[in-house]
Amino acid sequence: MDYFDRANNAFMKAYGRFDVTFDHGNGVYLYDTNGKKYLDFYSGIGVNSFGYDYQLYTDAMCQQMHRLMHISNYFNSVETIEAAEAVIKATQLDQVFFTNSGTEATEGALKLARKYYYEKHGKADSEIISLNHSFHGRSTGAVTLTGTPAYQTAFGPLITGVKYGDINDLDSVAKLITPRTAAIILEPVQGEGGIHVCTQEFMKGIRQLCDKHEIVMILDEVQCGMGRTGTIMTYFQYGIMPDIVCLAKGIGAGFPMGAFVANKKIGDALKPGDHGSTYGGNPMAGKACKTVFKILEETQMLDHVQDVSEYLITKLDELVEKYDFIKERRGLGLMLGLEFDHPVKPYIQKALDKGLVLITAGTNVIRMLPPFIIEEKDVDEMISIFTEVIDEINS
């Protein structure tokens, strides 16, 4: 029995897994159990910021494994304190709660916003505004915030009090506000929803609405944060500050980790016993987070992300010009998408067959989330393979 059959027998059928079993990685490449080499423009859904076997990262994690892995949050560890300080410096917010994932970060942000509302109003009847085609996670609270019915239909009843506006349509959000509105949550760049970028006008308009109505502004930067769009946080490109930001993926660069971060006014609403996480912010996670920030700073990697993303964007725009059925290139930094006028799943499979790992974002969008360490030669290799895929499918 091969690995694919063994996986089908062992796992619940929650994932549409490809018939590839990876064995190890090095740099921007993955290798399967047969030794086949794959160029990775997926990075584990934007997690593996430094690719694979990045020595500064792996050495730090190996050392920490021998020192201290877990102690619970009833005690402090140096690693977690230093990680929290690094997150505060990067986000320019005040207080951190570490989680294990982006879903948990969203769930925590939701609870924090509702607790803040409860402290202000003395009642638990708050409403939350999210956006259509958003994605915020898989738990019951997070999936309710996810404005995509396909993720919700089978899992009701969901939590109450959630409404949905439309990205870049400020009026559609404004008309949903009531005296019970506790928070507005949005992604600066919608990932699963198709790599749609919030406009400057929309983002600043949301901030103004939140200020006017004393509403908590929550930004979900789980996928677009931590340098992926060229700045450490995407919201700095808009010249605004959220009240709460959700982080994960790149914050641990491969180690399971997330966080929600708040300004002091909002963060102070959480009291002992209001929220918790057994594993969240353990010393291993703290070391991962601290090391991520150290690498980004010491290598000036965000400058590289900005430079190489410009090259990648140029090459993708050339594909849009060349092929009529590619409608648009969207995104920021190294979070990019190509929208086709037809389903893209066959392109993903054929690319994989040719040694290129890509991912979809909805039915018609190919999403690219390569490691930050890619070079122009890696972009050229990807374009060469992907052009072959396009020509073979459309010949």
Side-chain angles (χ1 to χ4, degrees):
M1 186 182 297
D2 64 17
Y3 287 114
F4 188 70
D5 291 334
R6 288 168 62 183
N8 276 338
N9 287 337
F11 297 132
M12 293 183 186
K13 307 302 185 289
Y15 299 104
R17 286 188 170 92
F18 293 95
D19 188 4
V20 174
T21 302
F22 288 120
D23 179 75
H24 66 281
N26 183 262
V28 297
Y29 293 99
L30 286 163
Y31 298 82
D32 68 18
T33 50
N34 296 314
K36 183 177 175 179
K37 182 179 178 181
Y38 299 78
L39 176 62
D40 180 21
F41 262 60
Y42 171 35
S43 64
I45 321 184
V47 169
N48 301 319
S49 304
F50 312 128
Y52 303 93
D53 198 21
Y54 192 87
Q55 188 170 355
L56 290 174
Y57 181 84
T58 55
D59 284 355
M61 296 303 286
C62 287
Q63 291 168 9
Q64 186 62 39
M65 188 177 293
H66 289 289
R67 286 174 50 83
L68 191 63
M69 292 180 65
H70 178 77
I71 53 170
S72 94
N73 285 300
Y74 287 104
F75 307 95
N76 289 317
S77 72
V78 173
E79 292 79 15
T80 306
I81 293 170
E82 291 180 345
E85 290 171 342
V87 171
I88 289 167
K89 179 181 177 182
T91 61
Q92 297 182 19
L93 292 167
D94 302 314
Q95 298 176 350
V96 182
F97 189 104
F98 285 125
T99 68
N100 302 293
S101 68
T103 291
E104 290 181 29
T106 301
E107 202 74 30
L110 173 62
K111 287 182 67 178
L112 175 57
R114 286 191 148 170
K115 179 67 189 304
Y116 178 71
Y117 174 93
Y118 177 83
E119 289 205 337
K120 281 205 309 178
H121 300 282
K123 50 186 178 179
D125 63 347
S126 62
E127 297 175 344
I128 309 292
I129 298 173
S130 184
L131 297 182
N132 289 310
H133 308 298
S134 59
F135 182 86
H136 297 290
R138 303 283 189 168
S139 62
T140 301
V143 84
T144 306
L145 296 176
T146 294
T148 306
Y151 293 110
Q152 301 176 340
T153 303
F155 304 106
L158 303 175
I159 67 171
T160 59
V162 179
K163 305 174 180 179
Y164 309 96
D166 295 316
I167 188 171
N168 296 330
D169 183 347
L170 194 61
D171 288 342
S172 75
V173 176
K175 71 181 182 182
L176 299 176
I177 295 173
T178 75
R180 294 169 55 192
T181 304
I184 300 173
I185 184 170
L186 66 154
E187 305 156 275
V189 184
Q190 289 187 335
E192 300 290 333
I195 317 296
H196 292 283
V197 181
C198 289
T199 64
Q200 287 278 340
E201 180 184 13
F202 181 70
M203 187 70 83
K204 289 183 176 179
I206 294 293
R207 179 67 270 178
Q208 290 167 1
L209 285 174
C210 289
D211 290 340
K212 178 181 179 180
H213 297 281
E214 297 185 353
I215 296 168
V216 175
M217 183 180 186
I218 306 172
L219 291 184
D220 180 343
E221 294 223 13
V222 167
Q223 190 167 149
C224 68
M226 292 303 300
R228 178 144 296 275
T229 61
T231 52
I232 191 64
M233 299 297 153
T234 304
Y235 57 79
F236 291 133
Q237 299 180 39
Y238 293 90
I240 60 101
M241 285 292 294
D243 299 301
I244 306 174
V245 63
C246 302
L247 303 172
K249 296 188 185 295
I251 196 173
F255 192 87
M257 187 179 191
F260 57 100
V261 196
N263 61 40
K264 188 176 188 301
K265 178 181 176 181
I266 308 300
D268 280 349
L270 278 190
K271 304 297 192 294
D274 281 343
H275 197 53
S277 173
T278 298
Y279 294 103
N282 62 58
M284 286 293 292
K287 188 68 170 184
C289 176
K290 174 184 165 184
T291 303
V292 166
F293 283 109
K294 181 180 179 180
I295 292 170
L296 290 176
E297 182 176 352
E298 291 184 355
T299 65
Q300 298 181 312
M301 195 169 288
L302 295 190
D303 291 339
H304 174 72
V305 168
Q306 292 173 10
D307 291 341
V308 77
S309 66
E310 288 181 10
Y311 186 73
L312 174 56
I313 286 169
T314 297
K315 293 298 182 180
L316 294 180
D317 286 346
E318 289 175 1
L319 292 181
V320 175
E321 288 294 318
K322 182 177 181 181
Y323 298 102
D324 291 341
F325 48 80
I326 303 180
K327 297 169 60 178
E328 186 181 14
R329 184 271 309 158
R330 294 194 292 266
L332 296 172
L334 293 179
M335 184 176 179
L336 300 167
L338 289 176
E339 182 181 1
F340 284 57
D341 67 5
H342 54 271
V344 297
K345 188 174 181 180
Y347 297 89
I348 302 298
Q349 181 61 62
K350 187 170 279 292
L352 192 63
D353 294 341
K354 290 179 176 291
L356 172 62
V357 184
L358 299 170
I359 186 176
T360 61
T363 304
N364 290 6
V365 177
I366 290 177
R367 182 173 20 163
M368 296 182 182
L369 303 167
F372 295 174
I373 62 171
I374 61 165
E375 303 286 348
E376 290 186 4
K377 63 181 177 61
D378 303 312
V379 173
D380 291 339
E381 182 182 358
M382 182 278 292
I383 292 293
S384 176
I385 297 171
F386 192 50
T387 302
E388 284 184 18
V389 169
I390 292 172
D391 289 341
E392 288 182 16
I393 289 177
N394 292 281
S395 60

